Amino acid sequence: MESDTAERGRRFTELYERCYGSVYAYAARRAGRESADEIAAETFVIAWRRFESLPSEPLPWLFGVARNVLHRARRRLARLLGATEQMSSSPLSEVRS
């Protein structure tokens, strides 16, 4: 059992070291350097959870995951901005009603 966990950890570390730079660059080109670390980190969290089912060539899959992470972050931001705008345009008396 311990050797299986250690082996999985070793293989994941190899994947991370081999692919992190490419995933980070992908995220930085699309979201900026300030968001790229978070996008890449979330991408590799998902990769860890699904590690046993990764394809033999994982980089295109990781790019797809990063793209989905980025889209979810943009949707969250759009909802937040929409709610903030709605709240700021409503008079206080309407908000309290």
Side-chain angles (χ1 to χ4, degrees), residues 3-4 12-14 18 21 27 36 40 43 60 65-66 71-72 77 82 92 95:
S3 64
D4 290 344
F12 183 80
T13 298
E14 288 176 0
R18 188 174 71 241
T43 298
V65 171
H71 287 312
R72 281 193 306 272
L77 180 59
L92 189 55
V95 174

Side-chain angles (χ1 to χ4, degrees), residues 41-51 61 65 69 72:
E42 189 170 341
T43 298
F44 279 94
V45 166
I46 293 167
W48 174 255
R49 289 183 193 144
R50 299 182 183 169
F51 188 67
W61 183 87
V65 171
V69 168
R72 281 193 306 272

